[in-house]
Amino acid sequence: QVTLEESGGGSVQAGGSLRLSCRASGYNIGLNAMAWFRQKPGKEREGVAAIERDGSTAYTDSVKGRFTISKDTAENTLVLQMNALNPEDTAMYYCAAGHPFGAWHVVGPMSLRLAYWGHGTQVTVSS
């Protein structure tokens, strides 16, 4: 079975940084597209960052230049480096993994098919 386990969330002051990790089991991160989503209270789930099989990336406008998505294939882990955090970044962050017949999702300009989701890790940014 495929499992995704997020870690690295927490509380940080505005301007600070956090590094989120998503360790996959039963799934090869290096062979698939993956993405990070977030959901804020009272708002829809939003695609934050995505990375394709070829390594190309996409970001929602609000995090461009601040967040970086990457794959650590040696550890079979998806990473989201978040810098210059602001209170608007406060949300539950979810890791998602691709599949050829997964449901379609949009992350910035990129559309990708996703089938597996982690349980989320909370990020809270105070001013």
Side-chain angles (χ1 to χ4, degrees):
Q1 62 178 356
V2 176
T3 60
L4 304 174
E5 183 177 0
E6 299 101 334
S7 62
S11 297
V12 65
Q13 293 184 345
S17 298
L18 286 172
R19 181 181 174 91
L20 305 184
S21 296
C22 172
R23 184 176 297 276
S25 178
Y27 184 92
N28 191 329
I29 283 177
L31 298 178
N32 293 280
M34 297 195 73
W36 288 97
F37 283 70
R38 66 187 180 188
Q39 188 165 24
K40 309 171 185 179
K43 294 188 176 181
E44 297 180 350
R45 184 175 56 186
E46 173 191 26
V48 176
I51 183 165
E52 260 293 357
R53 293 184 59 179
D54 64 0
S56 61
T57 58
Y59 301 90
T60 189
D61 285 345
S62 64
V63 309
K64 287 181 180 178
R66 300 189 298 119
F67 291 12
T68 303
I69 187 171
S70 62
K71 296 177 180 179
D72 184 344
T73 56
E75 298 294 329
N76 204 34
T77 297
L78 180 72
V79 175
L80 183 68
Q81 178 66 45
M82 306 187 295
N83 298 325
L85 287 162
N86 61 66
E88 294 185 24
D89 297 316
T90 295
M92 184 72 73
Y93 283 73
Y94 298 91
C95 172
H99 188 279
F101 298 103
W104 284 103
H105 292 78
V106 175
V107 179
M110 182 183 293
S111 297
L112 67 168
R113 307 187 76 164
L114 303 170
Y116 309 107
W117 296 83
H119 292 143
T121 185
Q122 178 67 40
V123 171
T124 302
V125 184
S126 60
S127 60

